Amino acid sequence: MNATAGRKPVHLAVYDTFADWETGHATAHLARAGHEIRTVGPSIDPVTSIGGLRVTPHLALDALRPEDSALLILPGADLWDTGEDLAPFARTARAFLAAGVPVAAICGATAGLAREGLLDDRAHTSAVSFYLAATGYAGGGHYVETDAVTDRGLVTAGPTEPVAFAREVLRLLGVYEGEVLDAWYRLFHDSDAAAYAVLEKAGAR
């Protein structure tokens, strides 16, 4: 399916050590629904994922503007916990949310947003509560023990929940809803064969 004319692209952040398995469900089904996926890196130089995939970003982070995007997706990466290399992506997430453009962060990216103060007053989740507590953030009281959370345009999830993460993204952008979204999740998360018939009927495979 081709991207719908006039629809803003979804931006997927890519950087060295990004966890390539965490966002695949989300980007694949967004693309199938007509959303253009554009990668954004620290620069336009190639980066390499944890899985050894070499990706050349479509654009550099300093060229990304919230008004040109439908969503910013931030995958986990070792670099989130080893220094300040990815802090500019967290600051960009702040700009997106301030502009009313949603952000979706999974795994280590949630710690980056915690350090930026973006989880201090939003319901959120991550790998485990003490992982975020180690950042020194002030949002521990808003931590939710669940697979994925959406609050005021911000999706968060832990590293073991790429399907739940995608479910929240697909809901947020209106790709699937109601029983179709539920069936999509049951098929890809629970291998529930009965869910396939619901998706087939809705043309949402």
Side-chain angles (χ1 to χ4, degrees):
M1 185 183 299
N2 293 326
T4 303
R7 178 182 284 171
K8 294 178 181 179
V10 169
H11 288 91
L12 171 66
V14 292
Y15 19 72
D16 284 331
T17 75
F18 79 91
D20 37 35
W21 70 90
E22 292 177 343
T23 60
H25 286 283
T27 55
H29 288 273
L30 286 170
R32 286 182 64 127
H35 289 269
E36 180 188 6
I37 308 298
R38 292 182 62 79
T39 51
V40 54
S43 69
I44 58 171
D45 294 334
V47 299
T48 304
S49 74
I50 290 177
L53 299 181
R54 188 172 172 84
V55 177
T56 301
H58 289 100
L59 75 162
L61 184 63
D62 61 9
L64 177 62
R65 301 183 302 172
E67 58 266 33
D68 296 330
S69 185
L71 170 72
L72 174 62
I73 300 177
L74 300 172
D78 292 343
L79 290 180
W80 282 112
D81 296 318
T82 58
E84 296 296 313
D85 288 355
L86 300 186
F89 285 90
R91 290 193 291 270
T92 297
R94 175 179 290 282
F96 266 61
L97 293 170
V101 182
V103 173
I106 186 169
C107 188
T110 62
L113 299 193
R115 294 185 188 96
E116 183 64 20
L118 295 175
L119 305 185
D120 287 352
D121 61 354
R122 282 182 169 85
H124 60 276
T125 193
S126 184
V128 288
S129 60
F130 57 80
Y131 170 63
L132 292 187
T135 68
Y137 84 132
H142 299 286
Y143 189 90
V144 184
E145 292 284 358
T146 191
D147 52 12
V149 174
T150 302
D151 187 4
R152 286 176 291 147
L154 178 60
V155 175
T156 52
T160 61
E161 298 293 346
V163 180
F165 179 71
R167 177 195 64 207
E168 296 303 301
V169 168
L170 297 175
R171 188 204 321 267
L172 191 65
L173 293 190
V175 173
Y176 303 138
E177 57 187 16
E179 68 172 5
V180 176
L181 181 65
D182 176 67
W184 181 90
Y185 181 75
R186 287 188 290 112
L187 179 63
F188 288 97
H189 187 267
D190 303 325
S191 300
D192 182 354
Y196 184 85
V198 178
L199 298 178
E200 175 101 5
K201 182 178 180 180
R205 292 180 292 113

